[in-house]
Amino acid sequence: THSVSGTVTDTTGTIDLVGATVMIFHPGDTIAITGCSADTSGHFVISGLPDGKYKMKFLFPGYAEGKKFLMIAGADVDLGKIPLKNEGLLMTEALIKDIQVRVTQNGDTTVYNANAFKTNPDATAEDLLLKMPGVTNDGTGTKVQGDDIKQVMVDGKPFFGDDPNAALKNIPADMVDQIQVYDQASDQSRLTGFDDGNARKTINIITKQKAMHGSFGKIHGGAGTDSRYDAGLTFNRFDGLRRFTVLGMSNNINLQNFSMQDIMGTMGGSGGGGHMMMRGGGGGMYGRSNNFTVAQMGGISTTHAFGLNFSDQFGEKIKFSGSYFFNYSENENQTVLTRNYFTTNDTSLVYNDSSNTSTRNVNHRFSLKFEYQIDSMNSIIYTPKFTSQFTHYSRFDQGANLLGENITQSSSLSELVSDNLGYTLSQTLDYKHKFKKEGRTLVLDVSNSINNRDGTGSFYSQNTYYPSSNTVLDQNSNGNTRSNTITPTVSWTEPINTKSYLLFSASASIADNKQLKQTFNNNMIEEQIIDSALSNTYRSTYQYKRGGVSYKYSTDKASFSCGTDYQYATLIGKETFPYTVNSDHVFQSVLPNALFSYKFSKTSNLKIVYRTSTVSPTILQLQDVVDNSSPLQLKTGNPLLSQDYEHTFITHYGTMDPASGKGFFVFAYGSIAQNYIGNSTYIASRDTTIDHVFLNRGTQLTLPVNLKGYKTGRVYLTYSIPLTKLKMNLGINASGSITHTPGLINDIQNNNDNLNFGPGLTLSSNISDAIDFTLAYSGTYNINNNSLPSQVNSSYFTHTATFKTTITLKKKFVMNTSLDQYFYTGLGQGYNTNYLLWNAYIGYKFLKDNSLEAKISATDILKQNVSISRTVTEAYIEDSRTSVLQQYFMFTLTYTLKKFKGMGDSSTTGSDANQTWGH
C-alpha cells in the first residue's frame, strides 16, 4: 500500500486551512472509505491505500468544496497545495452582551476572575487585588475579608518565601488570569487531612497561559529634588514549570519591598539591661492587641535590596523552590509623644518624650522547599529557612514626667547606641507513608529552630528628680542569647469507613534558652564595675509531651471534626548571676478542638473553628533583670510567670452569585485567655523600692504578670455588587472589635475596654484600561473605658477618604493623581489634625510598542503630610507624631519588557499585550 499527502490552502496559497476535512472515495461511491483532518499547518497524510483510482473531497467552513481524482500506481503521491475558493459571506456585525463572572466560591476557596476587573496598563497585582470585593488595605497590610494575607504564591509555588509584597508589587496585573484566596493548611495538615489550626490566609496568583513561557519585567531610574532618587529592576523568566525571578531596588523615598522579618530588633539592644519588648496588649495569630495605629510608618528610609527566586519541577517526583533576599536599610526618625497614664487616684501622670533615632539594618534571607514523591506510597517535604541580620541602633531621647497640674516630677536626657548580630535557622521535615488500605497513613514531622544573637551597647543619661536629686548613668553592656527548639510529631490516620476517619497523634518538644547580660558602670578613673541589678545569667527550659485523638466525618456537603489532646509541660528557670535562683513549673492541660464546615451550594459555604493552645513566657519575660534604657520608665521580668491558656473561635461565611456578581462575606474572631500574660505597672508617688528596684518619685516600673479576664473579638462584613450600567464595582464593608484587657496599676486591677467600629466603602471603575479610578472611604469610632473610678473615659474618631485615578490617552499619554484626606479628632492636645495628601504624575510612552515611559511626578504637593498614631493599653493612652517624607518632585524613565512564546520578539505593554493574546 501507499500514501497520499498534501496541504490544503486558500487560493492565494498563503493561508493554511487548519483542520480541513479530507475524504477518499472509490469512483462512483458516496461513502468515504477513509479520511482525516489537516494539522495545524493544513498538511495531511493518508496511508494504507492500494494501487488504483480514487476520488477525493476537501471541505472547510466558508470555502467551496474541493474535488480531485487520484491515481496510485506503485508509489506514494504528494499532491502539493490544494487551493480552496473562499465563499464566506460578510455579515452585519453582531454584539453579544453579558455580565462577566467576577467572583466564584468553590468550597473554601474564593476565585476572582482578573479579566473582569479593568486596570491601567502599568498596574501591579496589588492594584488589581484592591479592586476586588472584600479586599482592603488599612496601611498595616493587605487584608481579604478582614483577614491578613500571610503568603502569596504564583501558580501554586512559593514566591520569595513568605513575603506577600514580593509578588503583589512585582507581578504585572495584565499577567494575572485568576486570583484564588483560601486558608493554606500546614504541610502536616495536608498530609494527614486533619486541620491543625496553623492555616494561613493565602493568595494564589494564576498567570495567563501565554505568560507561562516568556520573559517580562521592568527597569526604572529616577532623580528628584532634595537629592531624592529611585531605581529598580524586576525580571521574570517563565518556562513552564521552571520559574526564575530577579528583583533589585535602591531608593531614599521610603519604598521598601521586604517583610518585617527582614528587620531584627530595630529597637533592640540597649545600654542598660537591654531593650525588652514587653508583650503589652499581647500577640497571637490574629493580633492580640487593642492598639490603634493610623497613617504610615514614620521616618525617612533609604533602602538597597536584591532578591532571587527559583522554582522547578523535575519529572513527576521532585518539586523545588528557593529564594534569596538581601536588604540594606537606613532609617532616620524623630518622634514626639504624650503618654497619659491611668492612675489609682485623682492625680494625673503625663509622660512627654521627644526622640531622634537612627537605624541601620543589613539582612540576608534564604528560603527553600523540597518535595519528593518517592513512589505512590511515600513522600517527603523538607523546608529550611535561614536569616542573618545586623542592626545598628542609636537614639537621643529627652523625656519628662508631669504630675498633677503639669508639675515636673522628673526628667531625663539620654543617648543609647547598640549593635546586634544574629541569625535564625528553622527547618521542617515531613514524611508520609500510605498503606494499601485506603485512608490509612503514617506521618512523621520534625521541626527545629535555632536563634542566636550577640549585642553590645553604650548608654549615657542625665536624670533629674525634683526638687533636688540628680543622677548620671554612664554604662557599657554586652550580651548574647541562645535558643534551640526541636519538636518531633507522629500522626496515624485510620479509616472507619469511606466517610469517617480517626487521627492519633503524639508529639514532644524541648526549647532551651540561654541569655547572658552584662552591664558595666564607668567611673571617673576609667574603670568598669559590673552593675548586678542590670546584669544576669539565665537559662530556661520549656518542654512538653502531648498526645491525643481526633475524629473526622465528611460528605460532599459537610465536614466535621473534633478531638482533644492532653499536654504535660514543665518550665524550668535557673539564674546563676547575680544570685542563684531556681524556679520550676508544671502545667497539665487538656486541649480540645473542633471544626465544622458546610456547603450550602457550590457558591455558598460556612466554616466554624474552635481551638485551644498554650503560650509559654519568653526568656525576656522570665528574667528579673532591669531594663533602664528609658530611666523614667523601667522594665523588668518575672521568673514566677506561668504559661497562659487560650480559647480561639473563628467563623467564615461566604456566598457568591456568579450570574449577578453579588457577594457577601463574614469573618468573625474571638479569643479568651486564662493566666493571660499582662503587665503590672508601679507609678511611684514618692521615692520607694519595689521588688528590689529603687524608684524615684514619678518613675514607673513595668513587669509581666499572670492575670485573669483577657478576651477579645472582632467581626468584618463585606458586600459587593457590580454596577453594570455605570461600569463600576461597589464594595461596602463594616467592621468592629472589642478587647477587654486586664492590668495592674500599683497592685490595683484596671480593666481596659476598647471598642471600635466603623464603615467602609470602595467604588472602583470597570470602564476600560484607559480610565481607571478608585474612590474609597473608611471611618473608625473608638471608645475607651477603664474600671478605675478615678479615670475619665475617652473616645476618638478617625477617617480616611481616598480618590485615585489613572487616565491613558491613545495608549501614549498617562495622567495619574491620588488624593488622601485624613481626619483625626478626640486625640490629645496638639494631635488632632485634618490634612490632604496629594500625589500626581504625568507620563508619555515612547517606541512603537510603548515600552519606554518618561514621567514627572510630584509627592505631597500641598506639603501637608504628617504621621499621627494612638496606642491604647491597660496602663496608658499614647499619642505620637513621627517625621515623614514630605514634598519632592522626580523625573523617571521606565522600560517594560514583555516577550512571550508565539508573540514575536517585540515587547508589548498594557492592553497591547492583552490584544496580542486575543489573536
Side-chain angles (χ1 to χ4, degrees), residues 772-899:
D772 181 14
F773 68 84
T774 299
L775 179 65
Y777 174 84
S778 63
T780 302
Y781 188 74
N782 195 296
I783 301 173
N784 181 70
N785 294 325
N786 294 281
S787 61
L788 287 175
S790 59
Q791 296 306 306
V792 177
N793 298 323
S794 63
S795 63
Y796 57 94
F797 175 75
T798 72
H799 85 214
T800 303
T802 301
F803 175 74
K804 298 180 180 179
T805 182
T806 301
I807 298 175
T808 306
L809 302 178
K810 297 184 178 180
K811 300 180 182 180
K812 291 286 186 180
F813 187 68
V814 182
M815 296 179 293
N816 170 279
T817 191
S818 65
L819 295 168
D820 296 277
Q821 192 263 338
Y822 299 93
F823 176 74
Y824 313 124
T825 185
L827 305 183
Q829 185 177 3
Y831 293 95
N832 293 321
T833 187
N834 182 4
Y835 71 95
L836 184 66
L837 181 60
W838 181 19
N839 302 326
Y841 74 79
I842 57 173
Y844 188 82
K845 297 180 181 293
F846 296 89
L847 304 182
K848 183 179 179 180
D849 54 14
N850 295 332
S851 58
L852 180 65
E853 182 187 42
K855 70 177 182 181
I856 298 174
S857 59
T859 299
D860 190 17
I861 297 174
L862 303 178
K863 293 184 179 181
Q864 294 186 8
N865 193 20
V866 296
S867 178
I868 303 293
S869 68
R870 165 161 283 196
T871 302
V872 179
T873 74
E874 73 288 345
Y876 59 81
I877 296 177
E878 176 185 288
D879 293 323
S880 66
R881 182 192 304 270
T882 58
S883 55
V884 293
L885 190 64
Q886 292 189 322
Q887 186 188 85
Y888 67 91
F889 301 88
M890 182 169 287
F891 174 77
T892 306
L893 284 176
T894 302
Y895 178 76
T896 302
L897 168 70
K898 289 179 185 175
K899 292 185 178 181

Side-chain angles (χ1 to χ4, degrees), residues 191 372-381 430-434:
L191 291 173
Y372 180 32
Q373 187 70 41
I374 302 172
D375 51 39
S376 60
M377 310 298 284
N378 300 277
S379 62
I380 290 176
I381 301 176
D430 291 288
Y431 167 76
K432 178 178 182 178
H433 174 73
K434 295 181 180 179

